[in-house]
Amino acid sequence: KAGVTQTPRYLIKTRGQQVTLSCSPISGHRSVSWYQQTPGQGLQFLFEYFSETQRNKGNFPGRFSGRQFSNSRSEMNVSTLELGDSALYLCASSFLGGAEGGELFFGEGSRLTVL
Amino acid sequence: AQSVAQPEDQVNVAEGNPLTVKCTYSVSGNPYLFWYVQYPNRGLQFLLKYITGDNLVKGSYGFEAEFNKSQTSFHLKKPSALVSDSALYFCAVSGQTDSWGKLQFGAGTQVVVTP
């Protein structure tokens, strides 16, 4: 079956702009998580959605937001972009069945460059 | 709060030799431990996980990991490394059984396998 799809793969923005990233999870997966990856901070958890509800949120400013739709697709938005927001943004999905045990399936990421 | 430490930024090994990537963790309660691998400009791929049961876990591509509760370690091993194993390896932990989407990742260990 198809994997996790993230769009766009690459994008360039300027400071002060906003950006929306999209993630389509594996069919049947109800949980979508977002991570930010940078050389300096590594992989940091942004937020997790399950059945359209945010279940967890990492330590990021309010400029970072997300949502999940009824078909489990998710979007994240970053407003008022800063240079430090340049990163690879990774989306991961999981079924979240009790026996599944926590395996996340990652997309290839959206690489954001802020100039 | 949970945390993960990968003490080596890089591991160099010759093809055919054993490969070990170290990971130690700190978590309240029972740990749920994972290894992921990342190839350049790609998302993360799941290798293996420890939830409960046998301390020796076998995963994808010939990798295995040993859970050691007394040493709070979860080292990744492969008996005979391949050049194609060269990649960035991440150890991750979750201490929450109801939110599989939120993982705490280590800083990553770059593995370089030379012919």
Side-chain angles (χ1 to χ4, degrees):
Chain A
K1 54 185 174 182
V4 178
T5 303
Q6 291 188 244
T7 57
R9 289 292 313 279
Y10 302 91
L11 66 166
I12 300 173
K13 294 286 187 178
T14 57
R15 280 182 299 174
Q17 288 186 311
Q18 72 166 12
V19 66
T20 298
L21 308 178
S22 179
C23 172
S24 293
I26 291 172
S27 178
H29 285 192
R30 298 164 65 190
S31 166
V32 173
S33 300
W34 289 88
Y35 290 82
Q36 182 196 62
Q37 185 177 23
T38 60
Q41 299 298 318
L43 279 158
Q44 294 186 287
F45 173 77
L46 279 158
F47 25 65
E48 178 199 6
Y49 288 87
F50 180 77
S51 293
E52 301 179 67
T53 300
Q54 187 180 89
R55 299 212 312 180
N56 274 297
K57 190 178 191 309
N59 295 322
F60 279 83
R63 300 186 295 108
F64 292 80
S65 63
R67 60 178 175 170
Q68 187 180 33
F69 302 97
S70 58
N71 61 358
S72 293
R73 190 177 71 84
S74 178
E75 290 181 347
M76 66 163 285
N77 183 275
V78 187
S79 62
T80 319
L81 284 166
E82 301 177 359
L83 295 179
D85 296 333
S86 295
L88 180 67
Y89 290 88
L90 293 166
C91 168
S93 74
S94 69
F95 175 63
L96 280 191
E100 189 82 355
E103 177 179 345
L104 296 182
F105 294 82
F106 282 83
E108 297 200 334
S110 293
R111 183 166 295 281
L112 170 65
T113 301
V114 182
L115 302 176
Chain B
Q2 54 258 33
S3 64
V4 177
Q6 293 182 242
E8 302 156 315
D9 291 337
Q10 183 165 314
V11 169
N12 298 301
V13 63
E15 188 173 33
N17 283 357
L19 169 64
T20 298
V21 186
K22 297 179 180 177
C23 171
T24 58
Y25 66 89
S26 174
V27 66
S28 300
N30 294 322
Y32 302 91
L33 297 157
F34 307 84
W35 276 101
Y36 286 83
V37 60
Q38 186 178 34
Y39 296 97
N41 298 314
R42 303 294 295 274
L44 278 67
Q45 296 178 28
F46 172 80
L47 284 178
L48 50 80
K49 64 188 178 191
Y50 173 83
I51 303 298
T52 187
D54 195 351
N55 290 344
L56 184 63
V57 179
K58 293 188 182 296
S60 307
Y61 313 120
F63 284 94
E64 58 187 30
E66 185 168 10
F67 170 65
N68 188 316
K69 188 173 184 178
S70 63
Q71 298 185 3
T72 61
S73 67
F74 189 57
H75 301 331
L76 180 71
K77 299 180 180 182
K78 187 172 184 180
S80 179
L82 302 172
V83 172
S84 57
D85 293 329
S86 298
L88 186 58
Y89 290 79
F90 291 96
C91 181
V93 66
S94 172
Q96 305 177 65
T97 58
D98 62 343
S99 182
W100 296 113
K102 181 180 181 181
L103 295 180
Q104 180 71 44
F105 283 90
T109 298
Q110 184 70 49
V111 170
V112 178
V113 182
T114 52

